[in-house]
Amino acid sequence: DARVTQTPRHKVTEMGQEVTMRCQPILGHNTVFWYRQTMMQGLELLAYFRNRAPLDDSGMPKDRFSAEMPDATLATLKIQPSEPRDSAVYFCASGLSVNQPQHFGDGTRLSIL
Amino acid sequence: KQEVTQIPAALSVPEGENLVLNCSFTDSAIYNLQWFRQDPGKGLTSLLLIQSSQREQTSGRLNASLDKSSGRSTLYIAASQPGDSATYLCAVIHSGGGADGLTFGKGTHLIIQP
């Protein structure tokens, strides 16, 4: 059964450190999304790519966050420098088209001390 | 800006009961509406996707309806089981501007008592 794979599953680091989260989308899916989930805000879209091209990153704090797709099998989300308010669960999802379900990974639980 | 609201925020019912979860959205210009299930510490699992031109979708004991003009959707769960305990999330994709990202409600935390 094809799955979206995210690494690491958990990350604890100190404020100011760089954090890199990785996502392997389902093979053949051409759209990749990054979401963030917190208790207060719920799930929010950060950025997404179609055919590896960034289409929307308006939900992402651009001064410290960056999202890339170096190739079709890898998406990355970086935070530099990290801050305690970035603590959240970060989900990657992939899909075939706007009218097909998005498939989610199990998330990266990030804690910034 | 699209806003999605889910009521109730939490629900606890005895096993075997039929139940309804509600979702409302402020902008009716949507491509589709999706219902997801989230188990603790896990990602989201897609349950049902309703296209904007459809009225309902069914999968097993689950039935989702969509009234786009009034901005409402319901998820009906028949003959609930303890394994249905999870958080249920409703999300929409806006049909303007080419954006494919989902806008989520905050979910309904469901507990089915054995």
Side-chain angles (χ1 to χ4, degrees), chain A residues 76-87:
Chain A
T76 62
L77 179 65
K78 291 186 181 180
I79 308 174
Q80 169 63 24
S82 57
E83 298 180 2
R85 60 180 168 153
D86 301 329
S87 298

Side-chain angles (χ1 to χ4, degrees), chain A residues 9 31 33 35 37 40-43 45 48 50 56 91 98-102 104-106 109, chain B residues 31-32 34 36 38 41-46 49 51 89 93 98-102 104-106:
Chain A
R9 286 297 316 278
T31 312
F33 306 84
Y35 294 92
Q37 186 174 39
M40 290 296 295
Q41 301 297 327
L43 268 158
L45 177 69
Y48 80 98
R50 184 182 296 137
D56 183 3
F91 287 104
V98 68
N99 275 323
Q100 295 290 322
Q102 293 183 19
F104 281 72
D106 283 339
R109 185 174 294 275
Chain B
Y31 271 122
N32 60 55
Q34 300 180 40
F36 293 87
Q38 185 175 26
K42 294 288 190 180
L44 281 67
T45 301
S46 179
L49 183 152
Q51 312 283 6
L89 293 147
I93 293 182
D100 290 1
L102 290 160
F104 282 89
K106 293 195 174 177

Side-chain angles (χ1 to χ4, degrees), chain A residues 1-58:
Chain A
D1 201 17
R3 299 185 61 189
V4 174
T5 303
Q6 290 186 247
T7 57
R9 286 297 316 278
H10 303 274
K11 176 75 175 180
V12 181
T13 192
E14 293 187 345
M15 183 173 67
Q17 296 298 305
E18 178 178 300
V19 174
T20 299
M21 291 169 274
R22 293 178 174 82
C23 168
Q24 181 177 355
I26 292 174
L27 190 64
H29 283 190
N30 65 349
T31 312
V32 176
F33 306 84
W34 284 104
Y35 294 92
R36 176 170 63 183
Q37 186 174 39
T38 62
M39 289 292 292
M40 290 296 295
Q41 301 297 327
L43 268 158
E44 301 172 295
L45 177 69
L46 295 176
Y48 80 98
F49 298 78
R50 184 182 296 137
N51 297 321
R52 295 177 57 203
L55 287 190
D56 183 3
D57 61 1
S58 59

Side-chain angles (χ1 to χ4, degrees), chain A residues 55-66:
Chain A
L55 287 190
D56 183 3
D57 61 1
S58 59
M60 205 164 66
K62 295 188 186 53
D63 57 336
R64 298 183 299 108
F65 284 59
S66 62

Side-chain angles (χ1 to χ4, degrees), chain B residues 1-5 23-30 33 68-72 92 94 103:
Chain B
K1 178 187 171 187
Q2 179 75 271
E3 291 184 6
V4 179
T5 303
C23 171
S24 62
F25 47 95
T26 54
D27 188 340
S28 62
I30 61 170
L33 182 144
K68 198 175 79 161
S69 61
S70 68
R72 295 176 190 273
V92 298
H94 192 255
T103 300

Side-chain angles (χ1 to χ4, degrees), chain B residues 27-101:
Chain B
D27 188 340
S28 62
I30 61 170
Y31 271 122
N32 60 55
L33 182 144
Q34 300 180 40
W35 282 94
F36 293 87
R37 168 188 174 134
Q38 185 175 26
D39 294 287
K42 294 288 190 180
L44 281 67
T45 301
S46 179
L47 297 174
L48 290 163
L49 183 152
I50 311 178
Q51 312 283 6
S52 62
S53 59
Q54 296 175 322
R55 298 283 294 185
E56 65 177 342
Q57 283 286 330
T58 298
S59 176
R61 295 182 293 107
L62 305 180
N63 175 277
S65 68
L66 174 64
D67 184 341
K68 198 175 79 161
S69 61
S70 68
R72 295 176 190 273
S73 175
T74 61
L75 179 67
Y76 176 82
I77 303 177
S80 58
Q81 303 171 357
D84 296 330
S85 298
T87 297
Y88 290 80
L89 293 147
C90 164
V92 298
I93 293 182
H94 192 255
S95 61
D100 290 1

